[in-house]
Amino acid sequence: MRVVHQLNTGHGRDVRRGYESARGHYVLQVDPNGRFEFEDFTHLWNERTHATLVLGTRTHRLDSWARRLFAWALRKCAASLFGAKLQDPNVPFRIFLGTTLTDALHHVPKPFHSTNQSIAEVKVPYRKRPFGKTHTGLGSLMSLGMTYFAEMVQLKFRLWRHSRLGFTPTEATA
């Protein structure tokens, strides 16, 4: 396990730095807000050999209507732009195959707030947050949603352009 300390530069940038610093065969992302338990990890771990990305899909949402609306919109955008029919695309609990993550990061320009190949979804309970408090209100979620949408369109165009030029994922540069 490797711990990287840094100042808070925003959730998306902090997650990206963690991804770029990761060196393992598998990479786990989990937000440190106490909403997932260790036994939830075992469900993801058991699925890891069947997919390059395993998402811990929340069984139910304990979020405000604004966050649930944001999640719905993100699902619709991912489906329409990439054909990815995910139940919970923004879940903060996932395991990547390290090589897949490294290849994917080459396609995702910096800064990029929404960073999500075969994908498996595993149901995990979503618990009340035992500590910390979310500071994302409706205005912030709307702004973040517009940013995510613009980034997904940018990524879709970037992948389309690379495929037309004959690049493979490992040849593309950020």
Side-chain angles (χ1 to χ4, degrees):
M1 180 182 290
R2 188 169 163 207
V3 177
V4 177
H5 296 278
Q6 73 176 40
L7 294 174
N8 182 354
T9 58
H11 187 263
R13 286 189 177 119
D14 292 345
V15 169
R16 171 87 184 222
R17 173 134 190 260
Y19 287 166
E20 290 172 342
S21 300
R23 299 289 180 259
H25 187 70
Y26 292 99
V27 177
L28 169 70
Q29 177 202 344
V30 60
D31 282 0
N33 58 13
R35 290 193 169 187
F36 302 102
E37 299 285 339
F38 179 76
E39 56 268 11
D40 300 332
F41 168 76
T42 60
H43 299 296
L44 271 68
W45 186 250
N46 292 338
E47 191 66 30
R48 79 193 182 287
T49 58
H50 305 301
T52 57
L53 169 61
V54 181
L55 300 175
T57 303
R58 296 170 270 208
T59 56
H60 57 286
R61 298 297 295 257
L62 299 172
D63 294 322
S64 67
W65 66 269
R67 281 189 167 271
R68 289 193 302 268
L69 179 62
F70 176 76
W72 174 84
L74 187 58
R75 273 194 312 275
K76 295 299 181 189
C77 287
S80 65
L81 289 171
F82 300 102
K85 297 192 191 275
L86 303 173
Q87 295 177 35
D88 197 359
N90 198 33
V91 68
F93 190 43
R94 52 187 94 173
I95 293 178
F96 290 92
L97 183 61
T99 54
T100 298
L101 177 60
T102 301
D103 285 348
L105 284 175
H106 288 291
H107 291 290
V108 181
K110 292 181 184 178
F112 206 78
H113 295 82
S114 55
T115 311
N116 273 339
Q117 298 216 12
S118 66
I119 299 173
E121 294 181 297
V122 176
K123 299 278 186 196
V124 293
Y126 194 51
R127 297 170 178 84
K128 282 192 165 226
R129 186 187 290 246
F131 46 84
K133 186 175 181 180
T134 184
H135 300 287
T136 311
L138 179 59
S140 298
L141 284 173
M142 290 178 69
S143 175
L144 191 58
M146 295 301 290
T147 300
Y148 278 19
F149 178 73
E151 288 175 346
M152 282 194 256
V153 170
Q154 179 186 8
L155 179 60
K156 178 70 173 182
F157 178 73
R158 183 183 183 112
L159 293 172
W160 173 80
R161 191 180 72 220
H162 280 293
S163 69
R164 298 215 7 130
L165 294 174
F167 288 110
T168 62
T170 54
E171 293 170 339
T173 56

